[in-house]
Amino acid sequence: MSRAGRGWRAACAGVLWLAAATAAGQGGQGAAPSATNPATTAAAATAAPAGASAPVAAAVPRVTLPAGIVWETNEDDPPIGSAQALRGGTLRESIGAYPLTLRLMGPNSNDAFAGWNRLSTFDFGLVRRHPVSDRFMPWMATHWSVQADQRTIYFRLDPDARWSDGKPVTAEDYVFTLQMMRSEHIVDPFYNSYAERYYESIDAVDDHTLRIVGKRPSWRPLFDYAGIWPTPAHVHVLDADWVRRTTNEPQVVPGPYVVGERVRGDSVTLDRVPGWWGDGKRRFRGLYNFDRITLRVVPTERRLDWLRRGELDLMEGTSARSWNEDFTFPAVRNHWIRRARLMTNWPSGVYGLHMNLEAPIFRDKRVRQAMQHLLNFERVNDNLMYGEFVRLASFFEGTEFASPRVRPNGFDPAQARALLEQAGWRRPDALRAQTWWGRVGNAVRGLLFTRTDTDDVLENARGEKLSFTLVHGSKGLERHLTVMQQEFRRAGVDMRLRLLEPGTAFERGLERKYEMTMTARTTSFYPSPRQYLHTEFKATTNNNNIWGFGTPEVDALIQTYEDSLDADARRRAMHRIDEIVHDEAFYIPFWTAPFIRVVYWDHVRFPENWIPPRTEQLIDHMVTWIDPARRAALEQAMKDNRPLPDEGPLDKDPYGLRAKAAAR
């Protein structure tokens, strides 16, 4: 999922106050005061002069439920998982890079492992949007009540919820999450800003009742305020050493899995919590079915080799070339290994080439606009991707917030050359030909010297070459990037490719240590432009504003999108943002398709409807399982060299999403 953005810094006194108040609340002495008033008790305790009796601290009003509160829940939508799902077994999957951290907050907590970490161990919000009906459903909370002000919400927590160490999850653990988000000790400006902007207070009414007060009335209060997860207040000590101490420390979590065995650089294992508190709950039926998930660090381009050898059970997301050319080996022909193309309906994230606005070569907008016109999508799609993809155009693709006026920049080398010439970039011989001596020099060079590989690269008046490095972490896309490199070179642009380890390439983007990079970001149900485009993240690094972009106009438009209760005003604001991003040209969108490709051994099973339509990645809902009877049958078929039955067409579209996508 995409990660949202976060200023305010908590003082040490506030942290210590909260820890003490939390301990008191868990000890049966009642709810702690609001996390937004940590100074109240400390100020009263230090106000007395020396030798005087300490004054009694001013009482903080206890939060209570409003009279006549009306609770909501949703038991009408069907469970996400299948009643036929079987519990047990080990799923062997892959990740592209070893985790940079096991933390959910702080530096590097948005890496390749983050999706698994969030969805299976820790990031369990109060409610969740049902991926078929789009209605909210219980998750950590069983009931909720949104008040008329559209910013105050009460929640009833599931009283059965437990941490992986067996201690109960209480309202105080949510109070502590907000305290952590505000703390400077987590070294995470994203969450610092997020806490300051979104939450007025989080308060415990009692052990299993919670009040959240948002900073402003919201047009989507549950989406804005109910996604917060609990943090075990009895485990964490917030101090200056917190980041270092917790980087490689398995977390105490509320979810069904905990981080188990780890082999640095090789693998991470997620072990199912014995007797997990969610077992038997209707909303979790058919989910989180494996006893263990082993994530092996495997380069993307090597995953099929590992799958063929039986060292992986499942592989999501093959290239178009691989999908169309590589699956002719006996295990596929015999249906021991199966394939499926699962139709989905989810907004597209940010995926493509990105230019660092701090890099001197890309400070001129005309240069960035020229780069847009040098991407030959049709050539890449037709020759390398079997024409299966469509070009991305909008920063908010697949949502109502995509501006209808934004269209992809077409491949147009002549327009690119014109823009570059306006920006002062010309062929070296053309620059020299502006003088008589230069023309003579061109003639002499042609007679005496062999041409070099940079002779046709454009130069400016200072003699600097139009040359830059594209940093990326995808061996599997090198062919695509090489085609792009050729088109750039024909136009006199020297784009040099540099392949890095995926985690390193990702980190380079976060720290803006690149000129151009290729990367992707997932997205949520609603776009989150602040984390990408707001000036509050322009002056800092290690966040999702990887370009260093931000303007007062865009800041104001983001504010309108986030705060306005007028749907048309929000839509207009986002359309304008989309148009500004398109015009500023620091992002060259790639391509998308409304499906997920998956390859799996026959013992891996899916529900009858495969996956919910609102799925971005296969792990979003974790509905698969391993069938031991089918495993035994598969092993016998392989021993007998006997094929298994065909299971129909590759395309799985139980919700009719292909027709809906074509109609848009």
Side-chain angles (χ1 to χ4, degrees):
M1 341 179 13
S2 289
R3 327 297 190 239
R6 308 21 168 167
W8 189 92
R9 311 254 174 164
C12 291
V15 173
L16 295 173
W17 168 87
L18 182 70
T22 300
Q26 291 177 337
Q29 301 303 310
S34 164
T36 58
N37 296 303
T40 305
T41 303
T46 58
S53 299
V56 177
V60 177
R62 183 185 180 91
V63 175
T64 59
L65 292 175
I69 188 172
V70 177
W71 293 102
E72 292 181 66
T73 191
N74 176 12
E75 297 292 345
D76 298 329
D77 287 329
I80 300 169
S82 170
Q84 281 69 53
L86 302 174
R87 177 72 52 77
T90 297
L91 176 72
R92 296 166 302 171
E93 250 268 36
S94 66
I95 51 175
Y98 188 79
L100 298 173
T101 182
L102 303 179
R103 287 182 274 96
L104 198 64
M105 291 189 278
N108 300 319
S109 57
N110 194 24
D111 65 353
F113 178 64
W116 288 98
N117 196 19
R118 292 172 186 275
L119 293 169
S120 60
T121 70
F122 206 98
D123 190 2
F124 272 53
L126 290 157
V127 298
R128 187 173 184 179
R129 190 184 295 275
H130 194 283
V132 178
S133 72
D134 284 340
R135 300 197 307 170
F136 283 99
M137 60 182 291
W139 214 245
M140 292 296 288
T142 60
H143 296 76
W144 56 91
S145 179
V146 179
Q147 303 304 291
D149 64 2
Q150 290 292 100
R151 71 187 189 105
T152 302
I153 316 174
Y154 293 87
F155 296 93
R156 282 183 180 170
L157 303 180
D158 191 317
D160 296 330
R162 294 289 184 276
W163 293 104
S164 52
D165 63 3
K167 296 186 181 298
V169 176
T170 72
E172 295 295 348
D173 295 317
Y174 291 88
V175 175
F176 187 66
T177 297
L178 181 59
Q179 188 71 27
M180 282 195 71
M181 285 183 176
R182 287 174 163 166
S183 172
E184 62 182 0
H185 295 311
I186 68 171
V187 193
D188 196 327
F190 174 79
Y191 280 114
N192 294 158
S193 172
Y194 179 76
E196 173 63 15
R197 289 187 50 260
Y198 276 86
Y199 294 102
E200 185 73 33
S201 67
I202 296 180
D203 305 284
V205 178
D206 57 41
D207 278 355
H208 297 113
T209 311
L210 186 69
R211 184 186 73 176
I212 291 179
V213 181
K215 276 292 182 78
R216 65 196 189 282
S218 173
W219 53 280
R220 49 182 192 181
L222 287 175
F223 181 88
D224 278 346
Y225 304 132
I228 196 165
W229 58 88
T231 303
H234 64 282
V235 169
H236 289 276
V237 176
L238 280 175
D239 57 23
D241 195 44
W242 181 83
V243 167
R244 184 205 60 78
R245 191 173 59 247
T246 60
T247 289
N248 297 307
E249 180 181 277
Q251 306 290 285
V252 174
V253 301
Y257 293 96
V258 293
V259 173
E261 182 181 3
R262 304 177 307 288
V263 179
R264 179 164 292 279
D266 180 78
S267 64
V268 180
T269 296
L270 299 170
D271 294 322
R272 206 172 194 283
V273 176
W276 181 55
W277 66 270
D279 291 341
K281 303 283 183 182
R282 180 178 182 272
R283 59 189 180 276
F284 299 127
R285 190 188 76 186
L287 307 181
Y288 315 116
N289 300 305
F290 307 106
D291 284 343
R292 171 172 286 192
I293 300 171
T294 299
L295 302 173
R296 298 295 300 271
V297 177
V298 181
T300 301
E301 65 278 3
R302 295 292 312 281
R303 291 181 303 159
L304 180 55
D305 296 335
W306 285 59
L307 186 85
R308 290 181 65 167
R309 294 197 303 263
E311 296 181 62
L312 297 179
D313 296 297
L314 179 148
M315 181 177 77
E316 175 185 353
T318 72
S319 70
R321 183 201 61 79
S322 179
W323 183 261
N324 286 278
E325 296 179 9
D326 291 345
F327 292 93
T328 59
F329 51 91
V332 174
R333 295 198 302 270
N334 289 327
H335 310 302
W336 304 336
I337 289 178
R338 300 190 184 275
R339 293 188 296 158
R341 191 158 52 186
L342 311 177
M343 304 305 296
T344 62
N345 180 20
W346 189 259
S348 299
V350 177
Y351 173 43
L353 301 180
H354 310 272
M355 287 167 267
N356 186 349
L357 297 174
E358 297 171 0
I361 201 166
F362 292 129
R363 289 175 184 165
D364 191 319
K365 184 167 72 172
R366 294 167 298 187
V367 174
R368 303 195 301 269
Q369 290 172 329
M371 301 302 106
Q372 302 277 339
H373 289 295
L374 293 179
L375 178 61
N376 192 342
F377 166 72
E378 286 74 18
R379 181 184 173 194
V380 172
N381 191 35
D382 293 342
N383 295 345
L384 301 180
M385 302 191 298
Y386 294 80
E388 293 182 353
F389 288 79
V390 295
R391 182 80 189 274
L392 288 168
S394 170
F395 203 76
F396 310 120
E397 197 81 32
T399 75
E400 64 177 306
F401 304 110
S403 171
R405 291 179 289 277
V406 168
R407 293 285 184 269
N409 289 292
F411 177 61
D412 191 341
Q415 176 67 11
R417 288 291 298 274
L419 286 163
L420 291 172
E421 187 166 344
Q422 292 171 25
W425 297 94
R426 298 184 180 182
R427 298 282 187 188
D429 54 359
L431 284 170
R432 290 191 294 266
Q434 295 178 48
T435 67
W436 183 85
W437 283 108
R439 288 191 292 273
V440 171
N442 282 340
V444 172
R445 283 185 179 83
L447 292 171
L448 299 180
F449 298 103
T450 302
R451 294 176 63 83
T452 72
D453 64 351
T454 60
D455 271 353
D456 289 332
V457 175
L458 303 184
E459 292 183 0
N460 61 18
R462 296 185 297 275
E464 297 166 334
K465 298 283 188 182
L466 185 50
S467 177
F468 60 87
T469 299
L470 168 60
V471 170
H472 69 101
S474 176
K475 180 72 174 176
L477 281 179
E478 274 196 316
R479 295 192 314 145
H480 305 67
L481 297 176
T482 299
V483 169
M484 298 176 200
Q485 182 186 45
Q486 293 168 355
E487 298 288 9
F488 276 60
R489 186 53 190 271
R490 289 190 186 100
V493 179
D494 181 28
M495 180 173 77
R496 304 188 177 194
L497 306 181
R498 185 180 182 190
L499 174 66
L500 300 177
E501 186 273 331
T504 303
F506 187 82
E507 194 171 14
R508 286 287 186 91
L510 292 177
E511 296 176 353
R512 290 190 213 128
K513 294 180 178 178
Y514 73 94
E515 292 175 299
M516 180 181 282
T517 189
M518 187 204 75
T519 190
R521 295 293 193 277
T522 58
T523 188
S524 64
F525 188 83
Y526 295 111
S528 174
R530 177 176 291 268
Q531 62 173 317
Y532 296 110
L533 304 171
H534 200 280
T535 54
E536 70 176 299
F537 300 115
K538 179 180 179 179
T540 63
T541 59
N542 199 27
N543 58 59
N544 279 331
N545 188 339
I546 60 174
W547 315 275
F549 174 79
T551 68
E553 180 186 3
V554 170
D555 288 357
L557 292 166
I558 291 172
Q559 200 73 39
T560 298
Y561 166 68
E562 292 174 341
D563 293 353
S564 177
L565 300 181
D566 182 334
D568 289 336
R570 295 195 299 268
R571 194 177 301 109
R572 287 194 301 270
M574 290 289 274
H575 286 177
R576 176 61 184 146
I577 293 173
D578 205 15
E579 292 154 14
I580 290 172
V581 170
H582 179 77
D583 180 65
E584 290 295 328
F586 49 76
Y587 162 50
I588 307 177
F590 269 6
W591 46 80
T592 188
F595 53 74
I596 294 173
R597 297 190 188 99
V598 59
V599 186
Y600 56 97
W601 285 91
D602 184 69
H603 55 256
V604 178
R605 306 313 298 162
F606 288 79
E608 182 180 357
N609 283 341
W610 292 86
I611 60 175
R614 297 296 194 186
T615 299
E616 184 177 20
Q617 303 171 91
L618 202 60
I619 64 171
D620 286 353
H621 309 296
M622 301 187 76
V623 296
T624 53
W625 68 92
I626 288 177
D627 186 331
R630 292 191 72 117
R631 184 192 288 276
L634 170 63
E635 291 172 353
Q636 189 61 50
M638 294 173 67
K639 186 180 297 182
D640 299 341
N641 198 27
R642 170 175 45 83
L644 294 172
D646 191 353
E647 289 190 341
L650 293 180
D651 283 354
K652 313 298 181 184
D653 190 16
Y655 298 96
L657 299 177
R658 182 181 287 279
K660 293 177 182 176
R664 286 203 295 264

